[in-house]
Amino acid sequence: MDTSQIVYDCINGDERAFRRLVDLHADFAYAVACRMVNDEDEAKDIVQETFISVWRSLGKFDPARCFKSWLYRIIVNKCMDVLRKRKKTTFLHIEMNDQLVAVLERSGNQEDHLNKKELERLIEIATQKLSPKQKAVFVLSELEGLSHDEIVEITKMGKDAIKSNLNHAKRSIGRMIEKYL
Amino acid sequence: MDQERKYRKFIELLKANQPELDNKAELTEGIMKKIGKGDKQPSLLERVDDVLFFWTRSNLWSVGMSTAAVLLIVFFISEQTMLNRRIEDLESKILIIQPVEGGGSQTNFSQQILMKILIKNAETIDSITLYKSDLNRLLRDHMELLDRFEQLKGEGVKERPQKETQRNAERGSKNELLEL
């Protein structure tokens, strides 16, 4: 059964179809949220809230449109809300930097596997100076591999704003990596 | 250049280490439980009902509207009763006359004549409405006239040949005069 049929069943109030929809998209939703907020528990909360919002708003959703783009939009908006509310952390855990530097210096990156803490740490160091918008554009463009047009649809930002935010994010991450790793 | 290399390495590292959900079933269950507890998406009919009749959820409104509805029904019934009484009253005062093709009885014939007297183009009209008292009076007069006419007709038959002979004689003398 394809996603559009599942979505159509969900619109008609089928809870079993909705469970299937959650099963299909929970991993992807969690990955996006985790990369954006960089916190496992907060990411889980965001995923939960996202799917509850999806269930409530399915009546407004046009099944002819791409469900994944719509889901992206809800997740990104919720992540940006969390990031805006979050107090800016000013401290850095320098003790793990050596391990991260070692990972970054090693060649054959496909085999590199970081544990959760290391990964969180790496993202935290690299993206600590980014605004919520820059973080959203960075995650969607560089990590999710979405095109600028897709990001426009998800974030409702203009193409120029996306380019500008992405360039700023790249420069900021480059500087942070150079400085701390 | 080193910065660019490190940046690429960083991106590749993040892509290779996608965050994984360790307790997906628990998360799914939590979501399903929440949507089952009043977070259920309303059906189209429920949404329409919500938009149109949300105000009926208020006790004050529902009591007020129910009272108004009962009052309206009582008012309607009383009006209807009053109208029925008036219609019955009017019905007792009027009589509907319809022209009967071909006639037959004396009454029907009288009615047809009456219609022709009253209405110039009686054939084009299906029915007229008259007060019963007026009609009775007219019919009575009409019957009297008919009787009178019959009487006159009976008298006239006896006198007619004499009068006609006299009239023809007069006409003949006039013609003779003209010819001359």
Side-chain angles (χ1 to χ4, degrees):
Chain A
M1 195 185 280
D2 63 341
T3 306
S4 58
Q5 182 57 50
I6 296 171
V7 171
Y8 187 77
D9 290 343
C10 292
I11 290 169
N12 290 326
D14 186 344
E15 284 190 19
R16 282 197 306 178
F18 189 69
R19 182 186 284 274
R20 180 102 183 91
L21 195 74
V22 174
D23 278 338
L24 280 173
H25 295 92
D27 290 316
F28 138 79
Y30 174 75
V32 175
C34 212
R35 280 168 168 169
M36 275 196 72
V37 298
N38 202 26
D39 184 285
E40 202 180 331
D41 293 332
E42 276 186 316
K44 279 179 190 168
D45 289 344
I46 287 169
V47 171
Q48 204 166 49
E49 284 173 25
T50 298
F51 280 106
I52 290 166
S53 295
V54 165
W55 177 253
R56 284 176 180 163
S57 314
L58 270 170
K60 296 172 199 163
F61 176 69
D62 176 10
R65 286 180 60 207
C66 176
F67 174 74
K68 204 169 179 179
S69 296
W70 187 54
L71 188 62
Y72 260 124
R73 182 164 168 68
I74 298 171
I75 297 166
V76 168
N77 282 340
K78 291 206 179 288
C79 289
M80 283 168 75
D81 287 344
V82 167
L83 292 173
R84 282 185 199 115
K85 284 175 195 167
R86 189 187 282 175
K87 285 176 185 172
K88 283 184 180 174
T89 50
T90 51
F91 58 90
L92 287 168
H93 301 286
I94 310 293
E95 66 272 12
M96 282 184 73
N97 284 5
D98 291 341
Q99 292 169 27
L100 295 174
V101 170
V103 170
L104 283 174
E105 288 297 331
R106 274 204 306 269
S107 58
N109 53 59
Q110 295 298 322
E111 288 152 20
D112 291 333
H113 229 80
L114 299 174
N115 65 37
K116 272 184 185 174
K117 283 286 169 198
E118 285 173 332
L119 190 68
E120 277 181 19
R121 186 75 203 109
L122 184 63
I123 297 170
E124 190 186 335
I125 292 168
T127 62
Q128 62 183 307
K129 295 274 184 187
L130 301 186
S131 70
K133 275 186 183 178
Q134 287 164 356
K135 210 171 226 181
V137 172
F138 167 74
V139 170
L140 294 175
S141 175
E142 294 289 280
L143 304 183
E144 294 295 320
L146 300 183
S147 70
H148 284 196
D149 288 332
E150 286 171 313
I151 300 171
V152 166
E153 201 191 323
I154 292 162
T155 61
K156 302 292 175 196
M157 283 196 266
K159 266 192 178 177
D160 291 338
I162 287 166
K163 278 181 193 169
S164 159
N165 278 308
L166 186 59
N167 286 335
H168 196 283
K170 280 180 178 177
R171 279 201 303 273
S172 173
I173 290 169
R175 276 199 300 272
M176 296 311 287
I177 291 170
E178 189 70 17
K179 192 173 174 182
Y180 294 102
L181 301 175
Chain B
M1 204 62 191
D2 191 48
Q3 188 180 315
E4 177 66 22
R5 191 186 63 78
K6 276 190 176 178
Y7 176 80
R8 282 290 131 213
K9 174 80 181 172
F10 169 72
I11 298 297
E12 282 162 12
L13 203 63
L14 291 189
K15 280 185 180 175
N17 290 277
Q18 179 149 333
E20 281 173 16
L21 196 53
D22 47 10
N23 49 359
K24 191 171 155 182
E26 195 185 311
L27 184 80
T28 307
E29 217 46 56
I31 293 166
M32 295 312 293
K33 210 177 276 181
K34 281 206 171 182
I35 65 158
K37 272 188 202 166
D39 286 326
K40 192 178 176 181
Q41 192 202 4
S43 67
L44 179 69
L45 200 67
E46 284 168 336
R47 285 201 296 273
V48 170
D49 180 65
D50 272 350
V51 170
L52 293 178
F53 304 110
F54 67 94
W55 47 271
T56 59
R57 313 285 190 273
S58 157
N59 279 343
L60 193 68
W61 267 104
S62 62
V63 169
M65 288 295 124
S66 303
T67 312
V70 169
L71 287 174
L72 276 173
I73 291 167
V74 169
F75 175 73
F76 173 77
I77 291 169
S78 65
E79 280 288 300
Q80 197 63 37
T81 312
M82 203 170 76
L83 275 171
N84 282 343
R85 273 189 203 146
R86 288 189 69 182
I87 288 166
E88 278 170 17
D89 187 42
L90 285 169
E91 272 179 346
S92 68
K93 290 180 179 171
I94 60 171
L95 177 73
I96 294 168
I97 301 169
Q98 289 182 329
V100 181
E101 292 297 323
S105 70
Q106 178 69 29
T107 316
N108 285 338
F109 177 70
S110 305
Q111 285 175 358
Q112 280 183 54
I113 292 187
L114 185 66
M115 292 281 287
K116 286 183 191 294
I117 294 165
L118 292 170
I119 306 158
K120 199 175 177 183
N121 298 314
E123 292 80 8
T124 61
I125 295 167
D126 291 333
S127 67
I128 61 163
T129 304
L130 290 172
Y131 283 105
K132 198 175 179 179
S133 54
D134 292 340
L135 179 67
N136 285 339
R137 192 155 52 83
L138 279 165
L139 284 172
R140 202 168 48 241
D141 291 347
H142 172 67
M143 294 308 287
E144 278 177 19
L145 282 169
L146 275 177
D147 288 345
R148 182 77 184 135
F149 173 71
E150 287 300 325
Q151 269 182 357
L152 287 170
K153 212 166 117 182
E155 286 171 13
V157 170
K158 289 172 193 169
E159 291 171 4
R160 197 171 172 185
Q162 288 176 355
K163 283 183 180 174
E164 274 188 2
T165 314
Q166 197 178 343
R167 236 180 265 144
N168 287 339
E170 284 172 3
R171 214 178 285 156
S173 60
K174 276 181 187 172
N175 289 342
E176 282 167 13
L177 283 169
L178 281 171
E179 281 169 13
L180 285 168

